[in-house]
Amino acid sequence: MRWEDPRVRVVPVAGVSYRTDVLPDVSFDPGRRLALVPEPDNEHDPNAVGIWNEDRSLQLGYVPRDVAADLTGDEQAVSLWRVESGLRVLIVPRDAWVGRPR
């Protein structure tokens, strides 16, 4: 898998401003696996994909709308780094190997 592969994406989490109390949780620390949860019944966007911590107990926000429409539902996500107002997430195919940072 190469960075030029269009299936490899680094995206900001959308909608974090509605869940600022969740952002500091350790389950979103860099290197942590995240759950991508499709929301086909979402009244605002049937392609919406929520970004949750790995055990799906806290939702941080959403995959950006322009990326969510292209996802197949078979991707994995990992927290990469925190920014002042949110989080950047790596989204790759399910079969991609993703190592943990030291």
Side-chain angles (χ1 to χ4, degrees):
M1 178 118 349
R2 307 185 129 244
W3 282 105
E4 297 86 20
D5 188 324
R7 300 172 302 160
V8 176
R9 299 173 174 96
V10 174
V11 301
V13 178
V16 173
S17 62
Y18 297 104
R19 296 177 176 89
T20 56
D21 58 322
V22 173
L23 181 59
D25 192 89
V26 297
S27 63
F28 295 106
D29 281 353
R32 299 298 296 261
R33 297 216 177 257
L34 303 172
L36 299 175
V37 181
E39 296 183 7
D41 296 328
N42 184 305
E43 65 183 75
H44 302 289
D45 181 4
N47 293 316
V49 177
I51 296 178
W52 293 70
N53 60 357
E54 187 174 25
D55 65 4
R56 297 183 183 195
S57 61
L58 295 172
Q59 182 180 9
L60 182 58
Y62 289 90
V63 173
R65 183 183 298 253
D66 60 325
V67 174
D70 294 333
L71 298 182
T72 65
D74 192 33
E75 292 85 5
Q76 60 178 316
V78 176
S79 174
L80 284 182
W81 65 83
R82 295 178 190 274
V83 293
E84 184 176 313
S85 60
L87 185 70
R88 296 295 184 265
V89 172
L90 173 68
I91 299 175
V92 295
R94 176 68 50 203
D95 62 350
W97 180 83
V98 179
R100 285 192 53 104
R102 295 178 194 202

